[in-house]
Amino acid sequence: MSKRDQMQCSEAELLAMTKDMDEMHRATFPQMQQMLADFGSSLRGRASRRSFLAGSGVVIGGLALAACGGDDDADTGTGSSSSSSSEPSSGDGDAAADKAGLATNASLENLAVFAYDSALKAAPSGKFGPVPPAVATFAMTAMSQHSEHAKAFNAALVNAGGKEFTEPNPVLAAPITEMFTALKDLPGLAKLALTLEQTATQTYTKQMGEFQSKEALALVATIAPVEHQHAATLLYILGEYPVPDVFIKSDLARPSSDAGVS
Amino acid sequence: MEPSLDEGRFTELMEESQDLHSDAMRASREPLDAIVELGQQRRAAPDYADRLLHEQQESRRRVSRSLAGAGLAVGGFAAYAAAIATPAYAQGGTDLDIDALQTAVSLELLAVDAYKTALTLDYIRANKTITAFAQTTMMQHTEHGKAFNAKAKELGGKEQTMTNPKYTPVVMQMVPALKAGGPLDVVNLAITLEDVATSTYVKNIAENVTDPQVRNLFGTVASVESQHLGTLYAVKALLEAKLPQLITVKATGGAVDATKLPAAAGGAFAQEVFKKTDLASPPEEGAVA
């Protein structure tokens, strides 16, 4: 069977699809960039505002000052012993927890990108049998969107003074890789992808009751519905009803500690 | 809103999709019960009131300073202003939390009525899968409305029993055109209603609601609405491509033959990289006085 037969979708078509998606992303991403600029300042203000201001002398825009200003009162009276230290001060546990969660979210997005990318690369060899064009489009779309989500979570971490988390989820990477290697058909691949999408949705939904920063909440709130639309697509491709649950479950949700960032 | 409903036919349709409903209902109970239980445990904690008061004060102070410092009057300003101006607390959440929950109920009730109306239309009943979707989605919106009302009452608010005041007249006005129209007209209306609901809940989580349990409830519902929205996008794409036979699942007429789907269908469900909130209703829109 030829490469064309297996993929049912030419590389030129895939490239054209990618171009269209990039244009769509560029139309949406500026809104997120603005949100992320606000986001970093807020987290930074909560976690180590004094050390940040003293250490860098840099504040990103007026909105950053306004958002950071909210913690001035909270800082008063906590002493100055931690002002030049990276150690979180009193009340900083929430911000640290938010950052840990955001790193874990980046790791889940990286894992999804890895999985879709691996699938698209393996498809021409016939590993999954023939891949219909609509499935290829979905894989490209989902991979691209997960990539943007990873960028958003990582940009938030960097803005907050943290480091980008560029690796796949440390807890899930090995078992997912093992499962991927064992795959032999398209339904198996779709089920694996479905698990990843549901894991992301459930993790972000759980965090909506845990995160403290409004900006962190905005990230998970705007991304979770998109992951769940990916899940709906996969269910439909599998022949299942695309909206099976009345409420989002939480049995697959990952803890914020997954990425090992504290 | 009082849709013109063929009760007999509707009952029959409901029975036909009982299996789908039963599965979905079973799936709904566990997380809803867990949310209620978590809320009860949280409220039973000795320091709950103090912690909640602290959370609310911190939230209001941050919002106030962000707005004052940045001089911004962005979308949702009314919600921010209401949050800052409202001094009262009702057991567990702020008045704004209760408003948001009541508005959510009003959107859910409108969606229920809209799908009920759709189910009276011959051209909707002609497609088994679209009929099952309308029935199941209507049931899911009913459950969402119940959950939001239960939470609003738990926080000391009144039950919302009316459909959304802003969108109900719009939907009512469209009913004659829907009767004379076709599936795409219904799908387009449903897309708008699902998008309004999803956008509203996303914005509530991000900006308006302060009680973590309420945020979590909005989160567990928002993504389900987003699946309704995505499914409707896909149905619309297939109807426009004159491929209604591909609107099918195992439970209604057999699994779709993915090889026959147009390439674009793979990207139809998820059309936004980040869920936009342009259509979000403000928390007070459907609040009960």
Side-chain angles (χ1 to χ4, degrees):
Chain A
M1 189 176 285
S2 71
K3 182 176 174 177
R4 166 72 184 170
D5 290 338
Q6 291 293 351
M7 202 62 185
Q8 291 193 357
C9 186
S10 73
E11 288 178 10
E13 287 167 336
L14 282 175
L15 286 172
M17 290 172 194
T18 308
K19 185 170 176 289
D20 291 344
M21 280 186 293
D22 283 346
E23 286 168 0
M24 184 173 71
H25 293 167
R26 269 191 277 274
T28 308
F29 204 61
Q31 293 178 14
M32 287 304 298
Q33 297 286 25
Q34 178 59 51
M35 194 172 81
L36 289 169
D38 303 344
F39 170 80
S41 61
S42 176
L43 261 191
R44 199 159 32 228
R46 292 172 59 80
S48 55
R49 179 174 182 270
R50 284 165 299 170
S51 59
F52 169 74
L53 291 174
S56 69
V58 175
V59 177
I60 307 170
L63 186 59
L65 276 172
C68 290
D71 286 342
D72 274 346
D73 294 350
D75 287 351
T76 303
T78 58
S80 58
S81 60
S82 64
S83 63
S84 60
S85 163
S86 60
E87 289 291 317
S89 59
S90 173
D92 292 345
D94 292 342
D98 282 7
K99 283 204 280 187
L102 289 165
T104 291
N105 297 353
S107 79
L108 290 172
E109 299 294 344
N110 293 336
L111 181 61
V113 171
F114 167 76
Y116 284 113
D117 186 49
S118 300
L120 285 163
K121 284 176 179 165
S125 71
K127 177 176 172 65
F128 312 112
V131 177
V135 176
T137 303
F138 167 71
M140 296 287 291
T141 305
M143 183 176 72
S144 178
Q145 292 179 340
H146 283 301
S147 177
E148 297 298 341
H149 297 166
K151 283 181 195 168
F153 285 129
N154 271 325
L157 284 168
V158 171
N159 284 345
K163 289 181 182 174
E164 285 189 0
F165 198 95
T166 57
E167 298 297 317
N169 183 283
V171 177
L172 300 180
I176 292 294
T177 302
E178 194 176 328
M179 290 163 73
F180 183 85
T181 305
L183 289 176
K184 290 181 177 148
D185 56 25
L186 204 54
L189 175 64
K191 285 174 188 168
L192 179 61
L194 180 61
T195 302
L196 291 177
E197 299 291 358
Q198 289 172 331
T199 299
T201 304
Q202 292 185 20
T203 301
Y204 306 160
T205 303
K206 181 168 166 277
Q207 289 167 342
M208 291 171 201
E210 298 171 348
F211 277 167
Q212 298 294 315
S213 155
K214 192 178 349 178
E215 292 81 3
L217 287 167
L219 274 176
V220 290
T222 57
I223 291 174
V226 179
E227 318 301 38
H228 220 41
Q229 288 177 334
H230 295 164
T233 313
L234 288 160
L235 285 165
Y236 173 61
I237 287 168
L238 285 164
E240 304 294 341
Y241 188 71
V243 196
D245 298 322
V246 184
F247 298 95
I248 301 298
K249 296 175 182 172
S250 61
D251 51 313
L252 294 177
R254 299 304 309 165
S256 291
S257 58
D258 258 15
V261 172
S262 57
Chain B
M1 180 181 177
E2 291 183 10
S4 53
L5 187 63
D6 179 344
E7 295 285 352
R9 176 59 184 151
F10 185 64
T11 303
E12 186 185 328
L13 289 167
M14 290 296 284
E15 286 169 356
E16 284 174 9
S17 66
Q18 194 56 51
D19 288 345
L20 266 176
H21 290 186
S22 299
D23 290 346
M25 287 297 288
R26 273 195 297 276
S28 77
R29 281 294 150 215
E30 185 186 343
L32 183 57
D33 290 347
I35 288 168
V36 171
E37 189 182 342
L38 272 171
Q40 288 168 344
Q41 287 173 358
R42 189 166 180 264
R43 282 169 179 74
D47 63 340
Y48 172 72
D50 290 342
R51 283 192 292 115
L52 185 69
L53 185 63
H54 178 71
E55 283 174 15
Q56 310 290 8
Q57 287 170 338
E58 282 296 301
S59 174
R60 287 174 190 217
R61 194 166 53 190
R62 281 200 304 276
V63 169
S64 176
R65 289 188 177 161
S66 294
L67 287 173
L72 291 177
V74 295
F77 179 84
Y80 283 133
I84 296 160
T86 306
Y89 293 87
Q91 289 189 11
T94 63
D95 283 353
L96 193 66
D97 287 11
I98 295 169
D99 287 354
L101 288 162
Q102 291 166 334
T103 294
V105 176
S106 76
L107 291 171
E108 298 292 342
L109 293 178
L110 180 59
V112 169
D113 276 1
Y115 283 107
K116 264 185 195 172
T117 301
L119 283 162
T120 67
L121 303 170
D122 288 342
Y123 58 77
I124 291 295
R125 293 201 299 255
N127 185 307
K128 205 172 174 182
T129 306
I130 293 178
T131 298
F133 174 78
Q135 292 169 334
T136 306
T137 304
M138 185 178 70
M139 179 278 297
Q140 290 174 334
H141 283 302
T142 300
E143 294 301 316
H144 297 165
K146 285 180 189 171
F148 287 136
N149 254 335
K151 196 70 186 176
K153 285 164 70 179
E154 187 189 333
L155 296 178
K158 290 180 184 172
E159 184 174 5
Q160 171 60 281
T161 58
M162 305 296 288
T163 56
N164 183 273
K166 177 182 174 183
Y167 290 103
T168 297
V170 179
V171 174
M172 289 295 287
Q173 215 168 19
M174 289 181 68
V175 170
L178 293 178
K179 286 179 176 172
L184 271 172
D185 299 306
V186 171
V187 169
N188 283 327
L189 170 63
I191 283 174
T192 301
L193 294 177
E194 297 290 357
D195 203 353
V196 168
T198 309
S199 302
T200 300
Y201 307 159
V202 166
K203 191 160 188 171
N204 280 341
I205 296 161
E207 297 184 10
N208 301 322
V209 168
T210 52
D211 185 314
Q213 293 298 324
V214 178
R215 284 203 305 263
N216 195 243
L217 177 57
F218 275 119
T220 62
V221 175
S223 287
V224 176
E225 315 302 37
S226 80
Q227 284 192 323
H228 295 158
L229 179 61
T231 303
L232 287 161
Y233 280 143
V235 167
K236 181 180 180 182
L238 291 172
L239 287 174
E240 287 176 339
K242 312 287 184 200
L243 294 167
Q245 71 277 14
L246 296 178
I247 304 170
T248 180
V249 294
K250 283 178 191 169
T252 56
V256 67
D257 181 352
T259 63
K260 292 185 177 166
L261 287 169
F269 281 77
Q271 299 191 5
E272 296 169 281
V273 184
F274 301 93
K275 184 69 198 82
K276 293 177 185 172
T277 57
D278 303 2
L279 293 179
S281 288
E284 67 274 19
E285 184 176 273
V288 181

